[in-house]
Amino acid sequence: FLDAGSAGQERRPAGALKMATERARDINLYFIGMLLQQAITFASGVLVARWIGAGDYGVMSIVRNLFTVFLVIAPMGLDVGFLKHMPQIAENKKEWVSQLYAFRIFTIAFNACVLIFVAAIGGALVQNFVYKHDHLQEYLVLAFLALPLAADTALLGAAFKSERNPGIQIVTSLYLQPIARVIGLLVAWKFNLGIAGVFWAMAFGYAVSCAVLSFRIFSDYPLPTLSHWRRFDMKRTYGYSLWLALSLLVYSFLRNLDILVLGAFRPAKEVGEYAAMSAIAQIIQIYPQALSQTMGVSVARLNEEGRYEDLKELYRNYIRSALLLSSPIF
């Protein structure tokens, strides 16, 4: 963000200045979107908590956190792996598009299998042996209905990021999706659908964002023919993307561990009270996340080119800015 300042305009070539300006625009778009999302999430969380009560809110929080953990591995690491792989084939648009559609098909199929497993066996096992709350299996199935849509949304967002065009992904995930979810919540509240309505609203939000991104991709790049698919490249990409997914899974599990452990040993009412309180802390991470939106492609490129000193400087600048802006909020 600071690179776009007037002090650097005289020293930077036009291309670098344009890139810095675009990066500042994306960061501001993400920052405002995160504020909007957090405001909507907080307001809707208060509405839902008042509507369904602390006990049901605790059950809902357990299911939502389980969904969040699975959501990390839903794209099979491609939401991160794309930032390395897709720029390497960006010059060949037919290959880029054909691989994107192929990855989407495999990802949706994988998450459909996860949904079937949860509906057939997994939900019952979780309810009987871990979280012994009424109707938990039903709520898990309703939540996981959104998993294929959420995975596809993450995949498409990473594709736009790999083209250094994160704006459409930011708008859909931080503006359209929360607004659609609120509309779904209002409908669920109107018809008194309870916890089930909350998860239907979540699925509706993902469906809207997935539809917008899919339309944008399809309008720019029509469906490829099977002859354009490159299975070797797909296999190689999965080779490192799956490891990235496992790393993110560990991080997500640790981040959501508090509610998951609390839900196994304490009454649902206490879980709901804790979940409502901890939601306030999410505001601390808004600006660090905004700063990191455009870093993925740069990190992959510098690593590929062996420019490790520039890579260190990129991280140093990010950490310094993130700490300066998030520490006062903390």
Side-chain angles (χ1 to χ4, degrees):
F1 183 78
L2 299 177
D3 288 344
S6 59
Q9 291 183 9
E10 297 179 359
R11 300 190 301 271
R12 299 180 186 277
L17 181 60
K18 180 182 178 181
M19 186 179 298
T21 304
E22 291 176 351
R23 181 168 181 258
R25 179 201 62 197
D26 293 335
I27 289 174
N28 288 332
L29 185 66
Y30 185 89
F31 182 67
I32 295 171
M34 280 294 291
L35 287 177
L36 175 66
Q37 184 192 55
Q38 291 292 333
I40 290 177
T41 300
F42 184 77
S44 61
V46 172
L47 172 66
V48 170
R50 295 281 186 178
W51 169 31
I52 64 177
D56 284 348
Y57 191 76
V59 175
M60 186 203 73
S61 299
I62 294 170
V63 174
R64 186 172 55 188
N65 278 41
L66 288 171
F67 173 82
T68 300
V69 171
F70 273 89
L71 183 57
V72 172
I73 60 172
M76 294 183 283
L78 294 174
D79 51 334
V80 183
F82 267 17
L83 303 181
K84 171 181 172 61
H85 174 67
M86 298 306 267
Q88 297 175 355
I89 57 174
E91 299 299 325
N92 189 339
K93 284 301 177 185
K94 286 186 177 180
E95 186 173 344
W96 189 91
V97 175
S98 63
Q99 290 197 30
L100 173 60
Y101 278 103
F103 281 126
R104 289 184 68 188
I105 291 171
F106 292 150
T107 300
I108 292 173
F110 168 75
N111 286 281
C113 292
V114 174
L115 173 60
I116 293 172
F117 173 78
V118 171
I121 302 174
L125 292 175
V126 171
Q127 179 173 341
N128 292 332
F129 297 103
V130 185
Y131 303 109
K132 300 178 181 180
H133 302 289
D134 294 337
H135 307 294
L136 188 82
Q137 179 184 7
E138 173 189 341
Y139 299 145
L140 276 173
V141 174
L142 289 176
F144 276 70
L145 283 174
L147 195 65
L149 295 169
D152 194 34
T153 300
L155 211 64
L156 292 171
F160 282 110
K161 283 183 181 181
S162 71
E163 287 198 309
R164 296 183 180 272
N165 182 26
I168 181 67
Q169 181 266 339
I170 293 173
V171 170
T172 53
S173 63
L174 297 183
Y175 293 83
L176 293 180
Q177 186 176 311
I179 293 173
R181 189 168 64 245
V182 167
I183 294 174
L185 282 174
L186 292 176
V187 173
W189 176 67
K190 175 69 175 177
F191 292 96
N192 196 27
L193 299 180
I195 299 180
V198 175
F199 293 123
W200 280 117
M202 182 177 72
F204 177 67
Y206 280 116
V208 169
S209 59
C210 184
V212 171
L213 290 174
S214 297
F215 176 78
R216 175 64 184 276
I217 285 286
F218 185 76
S219 61
D220 291 343
Y221 310 110
L223 283 169
T225 61
L226 290 175
S227 61
H228 291 142
W229 286 18
R230 295 283 301 278
R231 297 181 182 177
F232 174 78
D233 284 343
M234 293 174 61
K235 181 178 179 181
R236 184 183 63 183
T237 305
Y238 275 123
Y240 55 77
S241 294
L242 290 175
W243 286 107
L244 292 172
L246 291 175
S247 300
L248 292 173
L249 177 63
V250 173
Y251 167 74
S252 178
F253 180 74
L254 291 174
R255 184 176 174 182
N256 294 279
L257 190 62
D258 48 358
I259 290 179
L260 295 178
V261 172
L262 199 66
F265 296 102
R266 302 302 301 165
K269 183 175 181 295
E270 290 186 22
V271 180
E273 292 170 346
Y274 175 81
M277 178 184 66
S278 62
I280 301 172
Q282 300 301 315
I283 195 174
I284 299 171
Q285 64 187 359
I286 292 179
Y287 203 86
Q289 285 186 345
L291 284 174
S292 69
Q293 281 304 290
T294 56
M295 282 186 64
V297 177
S298 298
V299 168
R301 177 174 51 83
L302 293 174
N303 182 70
E304 189 76 17
E305 296 173 358
R307 296 164 56 187
Y308 301 118
E309 291 302 320
D310 292 338
L311 189 60
K312 292 178 185 178
E313 185 63 24
L314 180 68
Y315 278 122
R316 278 195 290 264
N317 289 336
Y318 166 73
I319 293 172
R320 180 170 61 250
S321 300
L323 285 174
L324 287 173
L325 293 162
S326 63
S327 295
I329 302 176
F330 173 73

